[in-house]
């Protein structure tokens, strides 16, 4: 069966529903390109995260640095700098399990952001999260988790998805295929393959604000969306848990990311005294002296 016919067959099957069965969730991920796992966050965790997102959003408005798309919707970037609760979410056990399933054990955090879909917000253009790769891949290079801090519904802008589109080599050919809304109760997690066609839905409610946090991950050899080497708060670089720093990419993998020889180990640090240009005696090399 070709990927296109596989996609058509999959859409006619039962679509993923919120579940607590991790075997079912992994099956849904493989077949449909997404799954919804419910009861991942406790009510207290949802309240804490939602409150912090709303507070940060208002603070960025007041500071004149807020980012809006679709006029009313608001995005918050670089959440790792903006609260311990966000940093803990990046390392959540569900992320460890499901991203390992999709991307391998040494995956990295590509970005951590928030999305507030407000009434009147227009739908986002359908796309894939590895749109910058101009060819189809047998396995995903990136994957995403949308942590639902409110109930996700069709009416309030629940993420639109084209089921099984991760199996179609030319994803643009699916843009006329009917999409479905990811719906689930607050505290659920929508996990989706980076090849899946999707986009924020239109919030058609009169008064509901739909809050979500997106933790976007990538394979260890992919360039990250947020540049943590330059953008991470220097205090976090010094004090953050080693596990977080590893997920942010402050390690060497098969020689990638090194600052000198490929046998370097441990966490990366700013090089204060790089090995300089030397002459054959081990002294600093001077082009001027060579020409004298």
């Amino acid at each position: 069966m070709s990927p296109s016919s596989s996609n058509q067959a999959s859409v006619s099957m039962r679509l993923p529903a919120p579940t607590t069965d991790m075997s079912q969730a992994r099956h849904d991920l493989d077949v449909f390109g997404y799954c919804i796992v419910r009861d991942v966050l406790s009510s207290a965790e949802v309240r804490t995260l939602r409150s912090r997102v709303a507070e940060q959003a208002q603070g960025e408005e007041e500071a004149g640095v807020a980012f809006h798309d679709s006029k009313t919707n608001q995005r918050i970037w670089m959440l790792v700098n903006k609260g311990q609760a966000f940093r803990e979410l990046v390392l959540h056990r569900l992320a460890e399990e499901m991203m390992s399933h999709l991307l391998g054990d040494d995956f990295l955090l590509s970005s951590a952001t928030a999305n507030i879909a407000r009434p009147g917000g227009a739908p986002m253009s359908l796309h894939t999260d590895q749109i910058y790769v101009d060819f189809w891949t047998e396995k995903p290079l990136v994957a995403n988790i949308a942590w639902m801090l409110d109930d996700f519904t069709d009416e309030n802008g629940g993420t639109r998805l084209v089921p099984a589109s991760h199996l179609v080599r030319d994803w643009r050919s699916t843009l006329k295929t009917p999409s479905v809304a990811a719906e689930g109760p607050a505290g659920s997690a929508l996990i989706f393959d980076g090849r899946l066609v999707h986009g924020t839905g239109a919030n058609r409610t009169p008064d509901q604000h739909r809050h979500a946090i997106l933790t976007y991950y990538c394979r260890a050899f992919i360039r990250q969306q947020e540049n943590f080497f330059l953008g991470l708060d220097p205090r976090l670089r010094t004090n953050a848990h080693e596990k977080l720093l590893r997920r942010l990419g402050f390690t060497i993998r098969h020689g990638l990311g090194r600052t000198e020889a490929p046998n370097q180990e441990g966490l990366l640090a700013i090089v204060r005294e790089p090995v300089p240009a030397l002459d054959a005696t081990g002294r600093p090399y001077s082009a001027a002296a060579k020409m004298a």
Side-chain angles (χ1 to χ4, degrees):
M1 180 180 291
S2 68
S4 295
S5 60
S6 174
N7 177 59
Q8 294 169 354
S10 296
V11 171
S12 66
M13 297 166 59
R14 178 204 60 82
L15 294 176
T19 182
T20 58
D21 183 335
M22 296 308 296
S23 295
Q24 181 64 52
R26 286 189 291 271
H27 172 269
D28 289 342
L29 259 180
D30 295 340
V31 173
F32 298 101
Y34 73 98
C35 66
I36 302 170
V37 183
R38 62 177 299 148
D39 301 331
V40 175
L41 301 175
S42 68
S43 297
E45 288 172 322
V46 169
R47 285 194 300 271
T48 296
L49 289 164
R50 191 183 191 282
S51 174
R52 185 70 200 97
V53 167
E55 181 181 37
Q56 183 69 30
Q58 182 61 36
E60 294 190 6
E61 292 276 14
E62 294 297 327
V65 296
F67 182 95
H68 293 277
D69 57 15
S70 183
K71 296 182 179 179
T72 63
N73 292 353
Q74 185 172 352
R75 301 270 183 168
I76 305 172
W77 312 113
M78 207 72 174
L79 289 185
V80 292
N81 284 340
K82 298 173 180 177
Q84 178 63 23
F86 301 141
R87 294 190 287 275
E88 291 176 355
L89 191 64
V90 165
L91 301 176
H92 194 283
R93 64 186 184 281
L94 181 74
E96 295 291 314
E97 179 177 352
M98 301 308 274
M99 293 303 106
S100 293
H101 174 72
L102 287 171
L103 304 175
D105 292 338
D106 53 357
F107 63 88
L108 302 178
L109 178 72
S110 186
S111 64
T113 64
N115 181 0
I116 306 174
R118 297 190 173 111
M124 187 180 190
S125 297
L126 294 177
H127 63 283
T128 76
D129 278 343
Q130 55 185 60
I131 194 171
Y132 48 81
V133 182
D134 61 357
F135 52 87
W136 184 77
T137 59
E138 288 282 347
K139 296 180 180 180
L141 301 180
V142 301
N144 218 326
I145 303 180
W147 307 87
M148 301 180 185
L149 305 183
D150 294 294
D151 294 346
F152 268 41
T153 67
D154 184 9
E155 291 75 22
N156 72 6
T159 306
R160 306 296 305 185
L161 310 158
V162 179
S165 54
H166 67 307
L167 301 176
V168 180
R169 289 181 178 274
D170 179 9
W171 67 269
R172 291 176 178 82
S173 68
T174 71
L175 292 179
K176 293 185 179 180
T177 303
S179 63
V180 299
E183 298 186 285
S188 301
L190 166 66
I191 305 160
F192 52 101
D193 187 303
R195 300 168 296 173
L196 189 77
V197 176
H198 69 284
T200 302
N203 188 335
R204 306 188 303 276
T205 69
D207 56 4
Q208 293 181 30
H209 290 209
R210 194 226 66 193
H211 296 70
I213 291 175
L214 298 165
T215 53
Y216 173 47
Y217 300 89
C218 62
R219 292 185 182 271
F221 57 87
I222 298 295
R223 186 174 186 179
Q224 291 152 279
Q225 191 174 55
E226 293 183 323
N227 190 323
F228 300 112
F229 302 103
L230 297 179
L232 186 67
D233 187 322
R235 293 166 294 184
L236 291 175
R237 176 66 184 88
T238 302
N239 301 318
H241 193 284
E242 180 177 329
K243 187 175 182 181
L244 176 64
L245 293 175
R246 288 184 177 279
R247 284 289 178 240
L248 297 183
F250 286 88
T251 53
I252 300 166
R253 178 183 183 273
H254 300 321
L256 298 178
R258 59 195 172 92
T259 56
E260 255 294 337
N263 60 350
Q264 285 178 290
E265 296 181 355
L267 294 176
L268 291 170
I270 296 174
V271 177
R272 303 296 181 184
E273 296 184 10
V275 177
L278 303 173
D279 65 18
T281 68
R283 296 187 180 92
Y285 177 84
S286 170
K290 294 292 184 183
M291 295 174 65

